Amino acid sequence: MRKFVVVMAGCAVMLLGAAGAIAQNHPSKNAAGQLVIVFRDGHRQTFNFADVARIEFSGTGGTSVVDSGPTPAGAPPRGHFLGKWEVGDGSGGTFYITLDDDGTAWRSLHRVHGKWAYVNGEARVTWDDGAMDAIRRIDGKYEKFAYRAGKTFTDEPDNVTDAKNTSPRPI
């Protein structure tokens, strides 16, 4: 009888261990529209996509890496912003902003590199010198909104000029 009890207890331990392993590897039953972050220690934290504006990673200078949020109706798609843009400098001159598909950007004015992200139907560029530009479609035409270092995209822009994509491509 003692052997029988030991065998049954051993089987119970194995079954519980297997059930725990299966439960741990089973995909989360979170609802669609949620972001789940699994930390190194195994605990999880869940966020609703509706509450997330963008995901940023340290070491990127606060540059947006993953964009989220609704795109306004009628807004141009992300691919529409790719290419070389001729924009005004706010003093009557022009320069070029190039937006690449991998999120990198280049500005001919002072030859500065940066990163760009598609946010709420517009292209937002954060330059390595701290300045920022946004290219937005306003009343059917494109404009460049310039922000000096230290400002945010919701602040009053330092200047607003026309913007023209010199290398439009089909999307």
Side-chain angles (χ1 to χ4, degrees):
M1 180 73 169
R2 185 168 201 250
K3 237 184 207 180
F4 178 74
V5 171
V6 170
V7 169
M8 290 305 287
C11 288
V13 168
M14 288 178 18
L15 283 174
L16 288 174
I22 290 170
Q24 188 173 8
N25 292 328
H26 186 69
S28 175
K29 290 188 166 95
N30 293 311
Q34 290 185 328
L35 169 69
V36 179
I37 298 175
V38 180
F39 294 88
R40 290 180 191 214
D41 65 2
H43 83 275
R44 297 170 177 249
Q45 190 165 356
T46 303
F47 301 91
N48 290 321
F49 278 131
D51 298 331
V52 178
R54 69 178 165 249
I55 300 171
E56 298 180 354
F57 298 94
S58 65
T60 64
T63 302
S64 179
V65 174
V66 178
D67 300 316
S68 180
T71 299
R78 180 187 184 278
H80 187 77
F81 290 100
L82 298 175
K84 187 175 185 178
W85 290 80
E86 182 178 18
V87 298
D89 65 2
S91 301
T94 61
F95 66 96
Y96 293 96
I97 293 174
T98 303
L99 305 178
D100 293 322
D101 195 29
D102 64 359
T104 59
W106 186 80
R107 182 180 74 200
S108 65
L109 182 67
H110 306 298
R111 301 177 55 94
V112 178
H113 291 274
K115 303 251 184 236
W116 79 280
Y118 179 74
V119 180
N120 295 327
E122 63 187 31
R124 292 185 178 179
V125 186
T126 303
W127 301 106
D128 291 349
D129 64 4
M132 299 184 305
D133 290 316
I135 299 175
R136 300 176 176 141
R137 184 165 65 185
I138 308 290
D139 296 328
K141 68 177 191 164
Y142 289 90
E143 295 178 331
K144 189 254 322 163
F145 292 70
Y147 303 88
R148 72 175 176 272
K151 284 192 164 187
T152 67
F153 287 110
T154 57
D155 290 337
E156 188 70 25
D158 295 311
N159 68 68
V160 178
T161 64
D162 288 338
K164 179 185 175 199
N165 191 335
T166 65
S167 57
R169 325 175 209 189
I171 296 157

